C-alpha cells in the first residue's frame, strides 16, 4: 500500500465504510423520489434533473469508496492490483460522464447539462458552480484524462495477453489512488453544491438538514 500506514489504512477503510452506508440510504430515497415525481409531477423537469443527477453522483461516490476499500482490504498482490484496476475504470468513466473529455462531450455531461443550470439567477450558487467548473476543467491526471488505452485494457481482455498482464504488473497504486482521490474531492464539492441547490429550491428542509 505504498506509504499508507496500517493505522491510516484502517481508519480510511472504516471512514469509507460509513460513507457507503450513508450514501446508499440517500440513493435509495432519491430513486423513490424520482418514481414519485415522474408519476405525479412529470413536468417538473428541474426537480427530476436534481434527483437524477444526485443518484448518478452518489453511484460514482459509492463505486470509488467500494473500490478503495477493496484495495485496502486486499490480502494478496493480485487483489490489490484488481482493485486498483477498478479504480482506474471508475475514475475514467466518472470524469467522462460527469464532464467529458472534449467540448462536445461536455454539453451532454451531467455537470453542464443538468447541474450547472440549476445555479441560474442565484449569485451564491453561481459562484459555487463557477468554482466547480474551474476544478473540473483544470483537473488533469495522465491515467484518467489522457490514457484511453489503459481503460480499454482494464475493461477488455486483449488478444495480446501481455497487455492485460503488464497493465496489472506495472500499475502504481500510489499514483492511481492519488488521481482517484483528487477526482473524488471534486465529487464531494458537487454533492455539497447539490445539497445547497436543494435548500435554495426548497427541496431540502434546512431545519432538518
Amino acid at each position: 500500500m505504498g506509504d499508507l500506514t496500517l493505522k491510516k489504512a484502517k481508519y480510511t477503510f472504516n471512514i469509507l465504510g460509513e460513507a457507503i452506508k450513508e450514501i446508499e440510504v440517500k440513493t435509495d430515497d432519491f430513486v423513490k423520489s424520482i418514481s414519485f415525481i415522474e408519476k405525479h409531477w412529470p413536468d417538473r423537469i428541474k426537480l427530476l434533473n436534481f434527483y437524477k443527477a444526485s443518484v448518478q453522483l452518489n453511484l460514482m461516490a459509492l463505486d470509488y469508496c467500494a473500490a478503495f476499500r477493496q484495495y485496502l482490504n486486499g490480502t494478496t498482490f493480485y487483489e490489490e492490483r484488481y482493485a486498483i484496476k477498478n479504480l482506474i475504470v471508475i475514475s475514467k468513466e466518472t470524469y467522462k460522464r460527469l464532464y467529458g473529455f472534449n467540448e462536445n462531450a461536455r454539453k451532454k455531461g451531467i455537470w453542464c447539462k443538468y447541474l450547472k443550470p440549476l445555479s441560474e439567477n442565484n449569485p451564491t450558487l453561481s459562484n459555487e458552480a463557477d468554482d466547480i467548473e474551474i476544478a473540473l476543467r483544470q483537473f488533469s491526471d495522465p491515467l484518467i484524462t489522457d490514457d484511453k488505452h489503459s481503460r480499454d485494457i482494464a475493461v477488455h481482455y486483449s488478444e495480446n495477453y501481455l497487455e492485460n498482464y503488464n497493465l496489472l504488473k506495472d500499475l502504481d497504486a500510489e499514483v492511481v489512488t492519488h488521481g482517484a482521490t483528487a477526482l473524488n474531492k471534486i465529487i464531494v464539492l458537487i454533492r455539497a453544491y447539490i445539497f445547497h441547490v436543494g435548500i435554495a429550491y426548497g427541496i431540502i428542509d434546512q431545519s432538518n438538514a
Side-chain angles (χ1 to χ4, degrees):
M1 294 182 191
D3 295 331
L4 199 62
T5 65
L6 182 61
K7 184 177 180 181
K8 186 176 181 181
K10 185 176 180 180
Y11 172 78
T12 303
F13 183 84
N14 291 334
I15 288 295
L16 292 172
E18 292 302 314
I20 288 174
K21 291 176 184 177
E22 177 188 345
I23 298 171
E24 272 187 312
V25 173
K26 290 182 178 179
T27 305
D28 290 341
D29 289 342
F30 287 160
V31 170
K32 291 174 184 176
S33 296
I34 291 170
S35 297
F36 181 85
I37 295 166
E38 287 179 333
K39 182 177 180 179
H40 298 281
W41 307 314
D43 57 332
R44 299 186 67 174
I45 304 302
K46 281 193 173 181
L47 187 61
L48 281 169
N49 288 346
F50 169 85
Y51 280 113
K52 289 178 179 179
S54 296
V55 168
Q56 291 210 308
L57 262 293
N58 281 2
L59 291 174
M60 292 170 183
L62 285 168
D63 284 350
Y64 163 82
C65 291
F68 209 122
R69 272 171 59 92
Q70 186 180 39
Y71 163 64
L72 294 173
N73 201 41
T75 57
T76 66
F77 179 76
Y78 189 83
E79 285 175 314
E80 289 186 1
R81 299 292 95 186
Y82 180 77
I84 289 300
K85 181 181 76 166
N86 284 344
L87 264 181
I88 290 178
V89 175
I90 290 164
S91 299
K92 284 179 176 293
E93 292 303 304
T94 291
Y95 191 80
K96 177 182 176 182
R97 182 70 186 100
L98 182 61
Y99 195 60
F101 297 113
N102 56 59
E103 292 300 326
N104 287 332
R106 282 168 190 163
K107 294 175 184 177
K108 301 176 183 178
I110 297 172
W111 173 250
C112 291
K113 188 173 182 179
Y114 299 116
L115 291 176
K116 190 177 180 182
L118 295 173
S119 68
E120 293 174 359
N121 303 318
N122 186 310
T124 301
L125 289 176
S126 293
N127 289 336
E128 193 174 356
D130 288 342
D131 289 341
I132 292 170
E133 177 88 24
I134 291 171
L136 284 167
R137 187 172 290 275
Q138 291 182 345
F139 179 80
S140 179
D141 182 276
L143 280 173
I144 297 173
T145 56
D146 301 328
D147 186 3
K148 181 179 182 296
H149 184 66
S150 66
R151 179 266 179 199
D152 292 340
I153 298 301
V155 173
H156 305 290
Y157 292 113
S158 171
E159 289 186 11
N160 179 357
Y161 70 93
L162 282 177
E163 285 192 310
N164 297 109
Y165 174 79
N166 287 332
L167 173 71
L168 289 169
K169 181 175 69 69
D170 296 337
L171 280 176
D172 187 327
E174 195 169 332
V175 170
V176 175
T177 54
H178 176 78
T181 299
L183 180 58
N184 189 61
K185 287 179 179 178
I186 300 178
I187 298 296
V188 171
L189 291 177
I190 297 174
R191 292 183 67 236
Y193 164 79
I194 289 175
F195 179 77
H196 298 150
V197 167
I199 291 175
Y201 278 75
I203 299 169
I204 297 173
D205 184 355
Q206 191 170 9
S207 63
N208 296 325

